Amino acid sequence: MRIKNIISIFVCALIMIMSVNVVSFADEFNSSDIIFMEDGQEEVIPFSVNILNGRCNISFSNGNANISASVVGKSGVTKTSIITKLQELKSGNWVDLKTSSKKTGGKTCSVTNSYSVTKGHTYRGVAIITAGNESKTLISTSQKY
């Protein structure tokens, strides 16, 4: 009798522990719409309803920062758009310097924008990508020019 009680308590405790881990794990994935990009990374966005993938990168050449971004919608998406921002790090805060946008009537959208920058400053690119009624914010790695 005593062995059965111990086994029953153990099984109940195990079930409770497993269910708590599953719930907190699921909440972690749904809590953020901001994705930080690594150099050269093409991001496949998990758990998206309408966005298949997207990317945002920054590079420098001839005194310009080049921000390239793209979004691909899943099957059935008929509208996509991208808002790109060039940001500069000033006194520990990211400040928007330039903003531009592009919309398409299809399931893909891509853009490359060039902006004049100053040597010795740190910059990053931000892309707000939208497919259908879903949006994600992608942030490139920051780089000093």
Side-chain angles (χ1 to χ4, degrees):
M1 181 73 160
R2 182 171 161 89
I3 299 284
K4 286 183 181 179
N5 286 341
I6 292 173
I7 291 173
S8 295
I9 291 171
F10 177 75
V11 169
C12 288
L14 185 62
I15 290 171
M16 289 173 51
I17 290 170
M18 289 176 57
S19 66
V20 169
N21 285 341
V22 170
V23 171
S24 77
F25 185 70
D27 287 342
E28 181 180 326
F29 279 108
N30 294 325
S31 65
S32 176
D33 283 338
I34 298 178
I35 299 169
F36 291 90
M37 308 296 293
E38 298 294 329
D39 284 335
Q41 176 183 4
E42 295 253 347
E43 181 69 24
V44 176
I45 300 168
F47 303 109
S48 292
V49 175
N50 293 316
I51 298 172
L52 182 62
N53 64 49
R55 67 175 176 82
C56 177
N57 295 310
I58 188 169
S59 61
F60 298 94
S61 66
N62 300 325
N64 288 320
N66 304 305
I67 300 174
S68 59
S70 67
V71 60
V72 178
K74 290 184 179 179
S75 180
V77 169
T78 58
K79 293 188 309 186
T80 53
S81 65
I82 301 172
I83 297 171
T84 56
K85 297 179 182 185
L86 173 66
Q87 294 184 335
E88 181 180 351
L89 186 61
K90 291 184 178 182
S91 302
N93 295 312
W94 289 104
V95 177
D96 291 349
L97 297 180
K98 302 286 182 176
T99 302
S100 66
S101 63
K102 181 178 180 180
K103 296 180 182 182
T104 66
K107 73 178 217 171
T108 64
C109 185
S110 64
V111 65
T112 300
N113 294 310
S114 294
Y115 305 106
S116 179
V117 290
T118 305
K119 281 196 178 246
H121 295 252
T122 302
Y123 299 94
R124 73 179 184 182
V126 176
I128 302 167
I129 60 172
T130 304
N133 60 357
E134 180 180 27
S135 293
K136 299 281 183 185
T137 301
L138 307 179
I139 300 175
S140 74
T141 56
S142 58
Q143 295 184 26
K144 188 170 186 176
Y145 175 65

